[in-house]
């Protein structure tokens, strides 16, 4: 009798832990994408999903320390939000991480995955995979000055250093020397020369099983997977093997999938949001930003794909693309485009 009661308690604890894990910030996130996931984009995405962790574009330490603009600006409605930093100087990264925490960011992420020449010239991004000790020093320097999680986004390898052993050695070194316990793994290796960033997202083959194996070999770590994921059904399959899923361009080009994330991946009692209502909910934000000098097109470029696959979507995109950039463009432009969808519903 006592054993049965104890067994039932253990089952309840395990079930509770599964529920807690389900709401982990790493369970579903939208990738940091340069020139795409700016603050207008993130505000829009937050209207579609409350549970998803949003990432900034990569921001370099040099931009934060020496730039004239405010590269950390965001709206409080965007939380939970992670700042992705680019850099390789532990002291500069620590300084920027501290500022980010003071500004209210929920996570600091180190970019160890971007393969562009510009990033490599600054000695950060994917080339840092070749110096695991430096990555560990960078992470530890940030962890020493902030209390929010410091995480790493990386690839499964670089150039000819693409064996599973290389990946394990990299992860193990960073973990042992810094204590980092959250990694997002883009399931492709990166070629540091010969391929453009776009080609590096498409040509190196995806190797999801390698990321699954990494989770098996490092069960104590939180491992999220990234790369080529387009459907929430695919995300569900990945979540059978890893702790989290990060979606990139599909979430941007077809943002309507985000309307289903909270319901499908977090809590089935959460209703699926209506995209028409989301657009109209965005109006006060648009008016606020226009009053500050923003251009309508800078905001509406992020919402072009919201009605993908719905009658009137092409007319919606065309009307916004042709009119949102015009001087004085305001809410009526969006409402006119919206009518081209709603009148066909």
């Amino acid at each position: 009798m006592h054993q049965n009661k104890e067994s039932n308690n253990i089952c309840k604890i395990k079930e509770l832990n599964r529920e807690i894990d389900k709401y982990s910030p790493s369970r579903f996130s939208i990738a940091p994408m340069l020139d795409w996931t700016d603050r207008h984009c993130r505000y829009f995405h937050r209207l579609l999903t409350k549970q998803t962790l949003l990432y900034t574009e990569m921001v370099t330490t040099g931009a934060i320390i020496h730039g004239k603009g405010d590269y950390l600006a965001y709206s409080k409605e965007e939380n939970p939000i992670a700042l992705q930093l680019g850099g390789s100087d532990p002291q500069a990264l620590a300084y920027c991480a501290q500022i980010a925490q003071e500004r209210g960011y929920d996570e600091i992420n180190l970019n160890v995955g971007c393969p562009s020449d510009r990033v490599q010239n600054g000695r950060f991004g994917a080339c840092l995979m070749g110096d695991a000790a430096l990555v560990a020093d960078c992470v530890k320097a940030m962890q020493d000055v902030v209390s929010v999680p410091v995480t790493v986004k990386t690839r499964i390898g670089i150039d000819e250093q693409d064996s599973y052993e290389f990946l394990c050695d990299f992860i193990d070194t960073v973990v042992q020397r810094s204590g980092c316990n959250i990694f997002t793994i883009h399931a492709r290796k990166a070629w540091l020369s010969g391929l453009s960033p776009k080609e590096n997202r498409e040509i190196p083959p995806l190797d999801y099983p390698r990321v699954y194996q990494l989770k098996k070999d490092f069960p104590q770590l939180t491992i999220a997977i990234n790369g080529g994921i387009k459907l929430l059904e695919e995300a569900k399959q990945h979540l059978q093997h890893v702790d989290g899923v990060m979606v990139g361009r599909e979430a941007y080009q077809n943002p309507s999938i985000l309307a289903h994330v909270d319901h499908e991946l977090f809590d089935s009692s959460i209703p699926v949001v209506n995209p028409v209502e989301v657009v109209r909910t965005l109006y006060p934000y648009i008016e606020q930003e226009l009053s500050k000098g923003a251009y309508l097109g800078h905001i509406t470029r992020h919402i072009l794909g919201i009605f993908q696959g719905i009658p009137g979507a092409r007319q919606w995109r065309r009307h916004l693309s042709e009119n949102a950039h015009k001087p004085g463009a305001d809410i009526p432009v969006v409402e006119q485009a919206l009518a081209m969808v709603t009148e066909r519903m």
Side-chain angles (χ1 to χ4, degrees):
M1 184 72 177
H2 174 72
Q3 273 189 332
N4 287 340
K5 187 175 181 180
E6 185 174 301
S7 177
N8 287 338
N9 287 339
I10 290 172
C11 288
K12 287 179 181 178
I13 290 171
K14 286 183 176 178
E15 187 64 33
L16 178 61
N17 285 339
R18 278 196 291 271
E19 288 299 308
I20 292 171
D21 289 344
K22 191 167 72 171
Y23 288 90
S24 164
S26 300
R27 183 171 173 83
F28 190 84
S29 61
I30 299 173
M33 293 179 281
L34 203 58
D35 298 326
W36 290 23
T37 50
D38 63 19
R39 61 191 185 87
H40 301 317
C41 174
R42 298 190 305 267
Y43 190 97
F44 167 57
H45 283 171
R46 181 57 72 219
L47 295 178
L48 291 163
T49 168
K50 302 300 183 187
Q51 303 294 335
T52 298
L53 178 63
L54 304 180
Y55 280 80
T56 67
E57 307 167 88
M58 181 192 68
V59 183
T60 66
T61 54
I64 294 172
I65 296 171
H66 305 295
K68 294 180 180 179
D70 182 0
Y71 291 90
L72 299 180
Y74 73 99
S75 303
K76 66 181 188 312
E77 290 85 356
E78 295 171 40
N79 294 95
I81 181 173
L83 169 67
Q84 187 182 65
L85 283 175
S88 59
D89 180 337
Q91 187 175 358
L93 285 163
Y95 175 75
C96 293
Q98 199 166 22
I99 295 174
Q101 178 172 268
E102 291 170 357
R103 295 286 294 270
Y105 280 88
D106 301 286
E107 175 188 311
I108 312 298
N109 178 264
L110 181 64
N111 183 325
V112 190
C114 183
S116 78
D117 292 339
R118 182 168 66 87
V119 167
Q120 288 182 61
N121 291 336
R123 198 163 180 250
F124 53 92
C127 65
L128 284 177
M129 278 202 86
D131 194 343
L134 177 57
V135 173
D137 290 345
C138 290
V139 172
K140 187 174 187 312
M142 289 188 279
Q143 286 181 329
D144 285 346
V145 296
V146 300
S147 58
V148 297
V150 178
T151 67
V152 171
K153 184 175 188 291
T154 189
R155 295 271 184 145
I156 58 173
I158 50 171
D159 296 336
E160 301 302 334
Q161 296 175 289
D162 61 355
S163 68
Y164 182 66
E165 290 72 25
F166 170 76
L167 176 60
C168 286
D169 287 345
F170 172 81
I171 296 294
D172 189 57
T173 298
V174 175
V175 170
Q176 295 300 324
R177 294 182 60 146
S178 74
C180 181
N181 61 4
I182 304 176
F183 293 82
T184 298
I185 311 294
H186 187 149
R188 286 186 175 94
K189 77 171 183 178
W191 286 103
L192 298 182
S193 60
L195 294 182
S196 69
K198 181 178 185 296
E199 290 170 330
N200 257 304
R201 293 192 300 269
E202 299 170 351
I203 292 177
L206 286 160
D207 192 345
Y208 295 139
R210 183 170 296 195
V211 183
Y212 299 165
Q213 188 61 47
L214 193 69
K215 175 60 185 178
K216 288 181 181 178
D217 292 337
F218 294 86
Q220 77 281 16
L221 301 180
T222 296
I223 302 289
I225 196 167
N226 172 231
I229 302 164
K230 295 185 176 182
L231 302 172
L232 293 187
E233 283 305 314
E234 294 173 1
K236 290 178 182 179
Q237 291 300 314
H238 288 305
L239 288 169
Q240 300 297 314
H241 304 278
V242 293
D243 304 295
V245 171
M246 175 181 278
V247 174
R249 277 151 182 79
E250 187 65 20
Y252 187 91
Q253 294 165 347
N254 182 21
S256 61
I257 69 167
L258 301 178
H260 299 265
V261 166
D262 294 359
H263 177 83
E264 294 288 337
L265 299 184
F266 290 91
D267 186 343
S268 60
S269 69
I270 298 174
V272 175
V273 299
N274 183 307
V276 173
E277 292 177 5
V278 167
V279 171
R280 288 188 170 137
T281 303
L282 191 62
Y283 288 176
Y285 175 81
I286 292 175
E287 290 174 339
Q288 171 188 297
E289 292 301 311
L290 293 180
S291 71
K292 295 177 182 177
Y295 291 99
L296 181 63
H298 292 168
I299 303 171
T300 57
R301 71 186 183 99
H302 301 299
I303 67 176
L304 292 176
I306 185 62
F307 297 114
Q308 185 168 307
I310 295 176
R314 183 177 299 177
Q315 290 83 351
W316 153 267
R317 292 193 301 270
R318 181 186 298 131
H319 189 82
L320 287 181
S321 298
E322 291 177 353
N323 296 283
H325 69 281
K326 294 179 179 178
D330 204 336
I331 298 296
V333 170
V334 186
E335 190 64 22
Q336 289 158 11
L338 195 58
M340 298 173 182
V341 176
T342 56
E343 66 187 12
R344 301 181 66 174
M345 284 183 166

